Amino acid sequence: MQVLHDAPLAPLTTFRLGGPATRLITATTDAEVIEAVREADAVGTPLLVIGGGSNLVIGDKGFDGTALRIATRGVELSGTTLELAAGEVWTDAVARTVEAGLAGIECLSGIPGSAGATPIQNVGAYGQEVSATITEVVAYDRTAGETVTLTNAECAFSYRHSRFKDEPERYVVLRVRFELEDAGGLSAPVKYAETARALGVEAGDRVALATARDTVLKLRAGKGMVLDPEDHDTWSAGSFFTNPILTDTDFAAFRARVRERLGADAEPPAYPAGEGRTKTSAAWLIDKAGFTKGYGAGPARISTKHTLALTNRGGATTEDLLALAREVVAGVREAFGVTLVNEPVTVGVSL
């Protein structure tokens, strides 16, 4: 277990932003993770858990406490059952399942971060979410002071949300278990319209697993969503805002605002999100409110490839990023009456 003092955190995040931590511990085993958590809790030291750093916005002043970097490793694949240590690199693990001919998470290729973060956010993209394949999450319960195993139902998954987000100070994920599908080398049924178009198939069709993965990687790369140290469009947290989910009443008011602003025939994106609820597109809202690709004049700007990503063009501070985020939130609210919510976790700062 490595321990550093006054340790920079920016290099551990995909934004490359944020000040130092009072102390940084790097844990390579579950036992070390639990030991570090127990030690911090015993003396009341604030604790920040870091995986791949792809969903973190850390304030310029840093973190006054213990930052715990989870660097555990372990991949166990038995039949269609997969178990990942929390510190495993997610996109590498997805590649392993594709090579093994197993379907269920192939469309989550290229997503940065660690395996342990996926259930917290209920990571999803291109028609798949990890909640569809996760069977159990092994975590250290800081309240009970013991290791627990939570079933899929106990994780309380919903859109980009889970029990772990509801109780952020309680659980530290150690391992994640999945049940995948052996479809003879074929993918899960393609659900996402953009993916189906890129593959030249109909929604519900299956394709070769490697083809599905390669197609998703190309789609993500075209939006700056595959990490590349030479491409500042990837110095981001991916999608900075979640897609708003509106009640029928709120959606009707929103639709009226759209037509008032864009014309009587204008229709906003609309997707069913459960009874009495409709999901719309944050990227569409941002673009139509006037924040187009590349927007901004400072070191923090909207990606040149995707309006949903806020980026560090080099030399930015966290305050630069937050100023841009606040401008976008205020502009969308003024234009359409919808308040965007940030997807990354903020540390020591807020919108």
Side-chain angles (χ1 to χ4, degrees):
M1 187 160 58
Q2 183 189 65
V3 181
L4 300 174
H5 296 275
D6 195 28
L9 296 180
L12 302 182
T13 74
T14 51
F15 264 125
R16 295 166 171 81
L17 296 176
T22 306
R23 186 170 71 149
L24 171 64
I25 296 176
T26 299
T28 57
T29 68
D30 290 353
E32 288 180 353
V33 172
I34 294 169
E35 179 186 346
V37 174
R38 283 178 170 165
E39 180 188 275
D41 288 348
V43 295
T45 301
L47 182 69
L48 170 64
V49 178
I50 300 177
S54 60
N55 203 43
L56 278 180
V57 178
I58 299 173
D60 292 317
K61 292 182 179 180
F63 182 69
D64 185 13
T66 296
L68 171 59
R69 178 171 172 258
I70 297 182
T72 54
R73 292 291 182 266
V75 178
E76 294 183 23
L77 192 56
S78 177
T80 56
T81 301
L82 171 69
E83 179 177 294
L84 298 176
E88 279 293 329
V89 176
W90 173 252
T91 193
D92 292 348
V94 174
R96 290 274 295 270
T97 68
V98 170
E99 290 168 5
L102 298 177
I105 57 175
E106 63 278 1
C107 290
L108 305 179
S109 297
I111 293 177
S114 63
T118 60
I120 297 171
Q121 188 74 2
N122 186 15
V123 163
Y126 296 101
Q128 290 183 345
E129 288 183 329
V130 292
S131 57
T133 50
I134 287 177
T135 55
E136 294 179 327
V137 175
V138 179
Y140 178 70
D141 184 339
R142 297 167 66 183
T143 300
E146 62 184 14
T147 300
V148 297
T149 299
L150 287 82
T151 65
N152 182 290
E154 290 171 330
C155 291
F157 291 120
S158 60
Y159 172 66
R160 300 298 174 271
H161 202 74
S162 69
R163 180 175 182 174
F164 309 106
K165 286 191 78 171
D166 274 334
E167 301 179 81
E169 303 298 320
R170 181 169 180 179
Y171 297 101
V172 177
V173 174
L174 301 173
R175 299 188 168 269
V176 188
R177 295 172 181 146
F178 303 81
E179 184 61 32
L180 304 176
E181 178 189 8
D182 184 349
L186 296 179
S187 69
V190 177
K191 295 181 180 179
Y192 200 66
E194 183 183 12
T195 314
R197 286 195 299 271
L199 288 164
V201 301
E202 298 295 324
D205 288 349
R206 295 177 184 259
V207 299
L209 276 164
T211 301
R213 178 174 184 271
D214 290 346
T215 299
V216 165
L217 286 172
K218 288 175 184 176
L219 288 171
R220 291 187 64 86
K223 299 173 183 178
M225 298 290 185
V226 176
L227 293 182
D228 178 352
E230 303 302 317
D231 182 359
H232 282 277
D233 279 326
T234 74
W235 290 31
S236 75
S239 300
F240 195 86
F241 300 103
T242 57
N243 290 321
I245 296 177
L246 308 175
T247 64
D248 286 346
T249 300
D250 289 341
F251 186 79
F254 162 57
R255 193 179 184 196
R257 291 281 286 270
V258 168
R259 291 180 171 180
E260 179 183 332
R261 182 180 178 90
L262 303 178
D265 295 329
E267 286 290 345
Y271 311 96
E275 186 175 353
R277 296 161 70 83
T278 300
K279 181 167 67 177
T280 193
S281 165
W284 185 92
L285 285 163
I286 293 167
D287 181 70
K288 298 303 181 184
F291 302 101
T292 53
K293 295 175 184 176
Y295 178 88
R301 304 179 196 174
I302 290 178
S303 167
T304 65
K305 300 182 179 73
H306 199 315
T307 54
L308 202 48
L310 307 189
T311 67
N312 172 10
R313 310 312 294 186
T317 65
T318 301
E319 278 307 310
D320 292 329
L321 176 76
L322 292 175
L324 175 61
R326 291 171 186 137
E327 182 183 1
V328 171
V329 170
V332 168
R333 185 189 297 120
E334 181 180 355
F336 299 112
V338 175
T339 299
L340 294 176
V341 176
N342 53 290
E343 186 167 329
V345 174
T346 55
V347 178
V349 292
S350 64
L351 290 190

